[in-house]
Amino acid sequence: MFSGPPGDGVGTPARISPEPDRLLIIAAAEYRRVAYAELRAELSGNPSPRVVAFPDGSVDTFSRIRSPAGRLDSVTAFSDELADGKRSFHLEPETREAGGQAVNMAKQVHALGGDPELYGHLDDPLLADLPFPCVSMGEPAAVSVLELGDDGVLFAAESDAIQDWTAADVRTAMGGDFAPIRDADAACCGNIASFPALLDVFRSLAPTNGDGDGDGGALVLDPGDLTDVAAETIADYFSVLSDLDDRFEVVLSVNDLEADRLAEVIGGRSKSKSDSVERIRDEAAVSAVVYHGKERAVSATRDGTLTVPNCTVSTVERTTGAGDRFSGGLTFGRASGWDWGPTLALANVCTSRYVETATTVDAEAVLSEAWTK
């Protein structure tokens, strides 16, 4: 077990003199080496945790956009064209893929050697041949992603089945109760804006009258876009997740925008990302809040805050879906009983490889490549 590099968790240790600065850099580099070495050692044991993923699903169409002046490779370039009065663009569809947070997390768990079960919205031929057990609760969302260089703009049309989804639907899909979630090594879910009934699912899973026995596995919630989620709703989630933590190891997995929104709800952003995630964890009273960014992953737990530097990305192929791969790797690590260091290292590898190649990294690639560069 290691405690992490010195500093505030965001790569900006206090400046005292050049020599201490140099020693801090060396310590951080060594810590990074240890985290990824522990990841390799843990994954070499071929863990195969059972993971349940739910409740979404989508058919994702990825396209590039071209104006008369040529292909647009940034959000800024697109907005500049609009500001200049351009209203006609040529859409260049490139690929259609099975998507959705639960689908992507399940795909990542499976690629690493895990044993996922997916309960989602999968009634489409593109979602019919996923290589693990699946149960569908209706038609998926239709998602269009405009890829603009290092970024993307997403447009989603929810199906009627998604708009009408209730806790009873997933209970029925799971055989009449939530036993698959309770019996799994971990569960992962997301997208609270599109699936408000997740709050009812969590209420059903939470122990009552303080009778939680803590025998559940990890439950990883990637909340998704929180822009239109009211502060009162977020407060309701915090309350329910705190109760749920008596039975499961509840982990919130958030990106920059999601962390900032949660920090805003509890009273404003802190001076550093590590401070923000610590405050969010304290307010939510859950086992962990994990932040994933371009440069590092940070976990805030009851035992303290841990930072693992991210992998180097040589080029950006796709960003949409990368956070889902992070949460999939995070779920796999905690479901396998790993410490936070190798778990964050694995999650970093999963998201970085996806950004660089638009493919889901498998266990063989994790073991064969040098991730400390």
Side-chain angles (χ1 to χ4, degrees):
M1 193 78 176
F2 40 88
S3 59
D8 70 351
V10 297
T12 54
R15 295 192 173 276
I16 302 172
S17 69
E19 181 63 17
D21 274 1
R22 186 181 72 84
L23 294 177
L24 289 172
I25 292 171
I26 293 172
E30 174 62 14
Y31 172 70
R32 176 177 178 169
R33 185 194 66 77
V34 169
Y36 286 90
E38 289 202 356
L39 161 60
R40 192 183 301 272
E42 293 281 16
L43 197 58
S44 295
N46 299 314
S48 186
R50 182 184 169 209
V51 173
V52 169
F54 67 101
D56 62 353
S58 63
V59 174
D60 297 352
T61 302
F62 293 88
S63 305
R64 302 286 180 177
I65 189 169
R66 183 182 296 275
S67 77
R71 177 174 283 183
L72 302 180
D73 289 327
S74 71
V75 173
T76 299
F78 186 29
S79 63
D80 287 347
E81 292 278 304
L82 292 172
D84 289 341
K86 302 288 195 314
R87 293 297 182 268
S88 178
F89 300 91
H90 180 65
L91 200 62
E92 300 177 338
E94 294 192 336
T95 183
R96 292 177 76 246
E97 299 180 8
Q101 286 182 268
V103 175
N104 291 337
M105 289 187 281
K107 287 195 290 187
Q108 184 62 79
V109 168
H110 179 265
L112 294 169
D115 181 20
E117 297 176 12
L118 174 62
Y119 299 84
H121 287 74
L122 313 172
D123 285 1
D124 187 275
L126 196 60
L127 292 151
D129 296 321
L130 294 169
F132 40 79
C134 298
V135 178
S136 180
M137 296 179 284
E139 293 184 4
V143 174
S144 295
V145 181
L146 297 184
E147 296 192 294
L148 297 161
D150 293 355
D151 210 341
V153 180
L154 186 149
F155 303 87
E158 296 174 352
S159 67
D160 290 342
I162 289 175
Q163 294 181 40
D164 297 336
W165 183 81
T166 68
D169 293 323
V170 70
R171 184 192 297 270
T172 300
M174 292 183 177
D177 60 22
F178 296 111
I181 296 175
R182 292 194 297 268
D183 296 341
D185 297 308
C188 52
C189 56
N191 202 349
I192 67 175
S194 296
F195 292 87
L198 276 172
L199 196 60
D200 297 326
V201 174
F202 296 154
R203 287 189 177 113
S204 297
L205 288 167
T208 57
N209 301 319
D211 62 351
D213 50 16
D215 63 348
L219 193 150
V220 176
L221 172 61
D222 185 338
D225 185 10
L226 295 170
T227 304
D228 296 325
V229 179
E232 294 80 5
T233 300
I234 291 174
D236 289 340
Y237 270 96
F238 280 179
S239 176
V240 172
L241 291 173
S242 175
D243 294 337
L244 195 63
D245 199 69
D246 289 338
R247 174 166 288 160
F248 299 90
E249 179 192 66
V250 175
V251 181
L252 275 174
S253 176
V254 296
N255 63 18
D256 262 310
L257 293 177
E258 293 154 7
D260 288 347
R261 173 60 177 148
L262 294 177
E264 176 187 334
V265 168
I266 64 173
R269 303 178 191 177
S270 300
K271 62 181 180 180
S272 71
K273 196 64 69 176
S274 60
D275 286 342
S276 288
V277 295
E278 286 173 4
R279 290 180 59 240
I280 294 166
R281 197 216 67 79
D282 289 343
E283 183 71 19
V286 296
S287 292
V289 175
V290 177
Y291 158 77
H292 52 93
K294 291 182 179 179
E295 297 180 356
R296 62 197 175 275
V298 180
S299 65
T301 72
R302 293 186 175 92
D303 295 325
T305 302
L306 194 66
T307 298
V308 174
N310 211 339
C311 311
T312 301
V313 173
S314 60
T315 186
V316 175
E317 182 65 26
R318 180 173 296 165
T319 57
T320 302
D324 302 339
R325 269 69 184 188
F326 181 96
S327 294
L330 172 64
T331 303
F332 183 93
R334 295 309 288 175
S336 299
W338 298 358
D339 289 338
W340 283 105
T343 295
L344 296 185
L346 176 62
N348 280 343
V349 169
C350 293
T351 191
S352 297
R353 167 50 71 89
Y354 187 79
V355 167
E356 192 170 56
T357 68
T359 60
T360 302
V361 70
D362 60 21
E364 182 179 358
V366 176
L367 292 171
S368 65
E369 298 187 29
W371 298 103
T372 55
K373 294 185 293 182

